[in-house]
Amino acid sequence: DWRSPVAMLKKSLCFVFVLAFLASFESFASGALGDNALEVVEAEYVCMVNDAAYDKEQVRVDVEGKTYYGCCEMCKARLENNAQLRIGIDPVSGTKVDKATAIIAADAYNRVYYFESEENLAKANAKLQDK
């Protein structure tokens, strides 16, 4: 039954993930990467589904010889089954990048961004300095 507590919880979680995705997409589209310089984050501290940095190591997800990370078993399953979640967009070049091999940096709000190169991360930080 769609009104069961489990079904309602799943719908609520999906809604939260959609809102989080839209918020991160809006920041890419507007060019707003946060107020402070972006700092490099090691991949194992990132949930690559929520695109957020955490203080502790995340759940390792091995897919097709590459390593991704998620914050919970649900994110692990999503990364295993949805190739689109394993791709990020470099906010400087607009190029698709594999989250397993990207340069990952976080803003002051622990939102993470995926860069195809250290040069693009440097460009993003230079842009932030100009603000």
Side-chain angles (χ1 to χ4, degrees):
D1 183 359
W2 66 272
R3 287 185 237 158
S4 73
V6 172
M8 292 177 75
L9 178 61
K10 286 181 181 178
K11 288 180 183 180
S12 296
L13 287 173
C14 285
F15 181 72
V16 168
F17 286 126
V18 167
L19 287 179
F21 173 77
L22 291 175
S24 66
F25 179 77
E26 180 181 343
S27 69
F28 280 135
S30 68
L33 295 174
D35 297 330
N36 299 322
L38 301 173
E39 295 194 26
V40 173
V41 178
E42 297 300 322
E44 59 265 21
Y45 294 97
V46 173
C47 174
M48 295 178 176
V49 173
N50 296 320
D51 297 326
Y54 293 91
D55 293 335
K56 65 179 187 169
E57 288 189 25
Q58 301 301 293
V59 177
R60 182 184 173 116
V61 184
D62 293 313
V63 180
E64 299 175 3
K66 295 181 182 175
T67 303
Y68 302 89
Y69 294 89
C71 62
C72 63
E73 291 301 315
M74 185 172 69
C75 288
K76 179 181 180 201
R78 292 184 68 202
L79 283 164
E80 289 171 334
N81 297 311
N82 186 342
Q84 291 183 354
L85 288 175
R86 299 189 298 263
I87 301 296
I89 303 295
D90 183 314
V92 173
S93 67
T95 302
K96 291 181 182 180
V97 292
D98 189 321
K99 291 180 180 181
T101 59
I103 305 296
I104 305 172
D107 66 15
Y109 305 104
N110 292 327
R111 291 178 296 213
V112 297
Y113 303 90
Y114 304 92
F115 296 90
E116 62 181 324
S117 67
E118 290 182 17
E119 291 79 16
N120 282 3
L121 171 56
K123 288 177 185 177
N125 275 328
K127 183 176 179 180
L128 289 171
Q129 297 299 320
D130 291 341
K131 288 186 173 185

